[in-house]
Amino acid sequence: MSNFSVSFRDEDSAHVLTLKGDLDAHTASEFEVALQNCLDAGKTRLVIDGAKLDYVSSAGLGVFMAFIEPIREQDGDLKIAALQESVFEIFDLLGFPILFEFFESVEEALSRYEQD
Amino acid sequence: MNKTEFKNLIEIPASTAELKRVRRAVRQWSREATLSAARRRALVHAVDETVANAIEHGVAKNNNRSISIAPVPSKDALGVMVTYEGAKFNPLDVNFNTREALRNRRVHGYGLALCRRLVDDIRYRYHNGTNEITLLVSVG
């Protein structure tokens, strides 16, 4: 059984996706489906709540990369918040902060949408 | 690989569902080798990426081939050897430019770049139709 899950909630300024568990080559497709569902529903102002994300592999990073342009083409964004330090390190090692905005908290990420 | 040489070797079917089990095993070996938490994480990630790559690209399909993962401890380092039958694939031969990949929004290929950044050494051997990749992290 997968120990990875995605849950959703709507805030005033954006749609928050809470990731829990391990995002690896086995579970990346679940994340892909979740993001595609958001796109299909026209929800393109997205915040990833990564506080309970325990692990990310390159497969997970690939999903972020696959969706960033389609989301931005629809005037949206994919902001990443509250990552554990060990998880952020993996994004950082590959230079992802060049392309994505990272925030200490979901609230900060939501505030950024309100300012935009 | 002579499997009888390696204590604590695990064998998994070529399925990504096994990756969690692989990570758990590498964490355990790393604790026994007294790696620091950071080095433990680095090795776990690198082995996970290597095994995932073997599952998705390397293992000969339709033959129920398995992948072996074994700790290779030494005085100064902990190595983890990943072994699988299939076409020759030397990760050291792959030229992956991370900046260019980001610029072009590449979706695949980051696993090898991660491995190179995370571990202290990567060794490769192709022998009798079998790929052997050893990822090493120094203990000190």
Side-chain angles (χ1 to χ4, degrees), chain B residues 14-33:
Chain B
S15 163
T16 56
E18 299 288 331
L19 287 172
K20 192 169 163 68
R21 180 182 157 209
V22 171
R23 293 194 296 271
R24 195 161 50 233
V26 177
R27 277 189 200 104
Q28 180 59 33
W29 300 332
S30 301
R31 280 191 205 102
E32 288 168 4

Side-chain angles (χ1 to χ4, degrees), chain A residues 28-50:
Chain A
S29 57
E30 290 180 52
F31 184 39
E32 194 175 341
V33 167
L35 284 177
Q36 189 61 55
N37 287 342
C38 289
L39 260 186
D40 292 344
K43 295 179 192 271
T44 57
R45 288 161 59 111
L46 304 175
V47 173
I48 299 297
D49 179 352

Side-chain angles (χ1 to χ4, degrees), chain A residues 2 5-6 10 12 15-16 21 37 41 56 61 64 69 82-83 90 94 100-101:
Chain A
S2 161
S5 69
V6 186
D10 278 318
D12 290 339
H15 192 62
V16 179
N37 287 342
V56 69
L61 297 175
F64 280 96
E69 288 305 318
L83 291 181
I90 300 302
L94 291 174
F100 293 85
E101 279 189 292

Side-chain angles (χ1 to χ4, degrees), chain B residues 2-60:
Chain B
N2 180 351
K3 294 176 184 176
T4 58
E5 289 175 46
F6 295 93
K7 195 177 149 192
N8 297 329
L9 174 148
I10 62 171
E11 258 186 84
I12 61 163
S15 163
T16 56
E18 299 288 331
L19 287 172
K20 192 169 163 68
R21 180 182 157 209
V22 171
R23 293 194 296 271
R24 195 161 50 233
V26 177
R27 277 189 200 104
Q28 180 59 33
W29 300 332
S30 301
R31 280 191 205 102
E32 288 168 4
T34 66
L35 291 187
S36 68
R39 288 176 186 271
R40 196 156 64 226
R41 280 196 307 269
L43 189 56
V44 167
H45 266 96
V47 174
D48 177 87
E49 295 289 349
T50 302
V51 175
N53 204 60
I55 290 167
E56 291 179 51
H57 304 296
V59 179

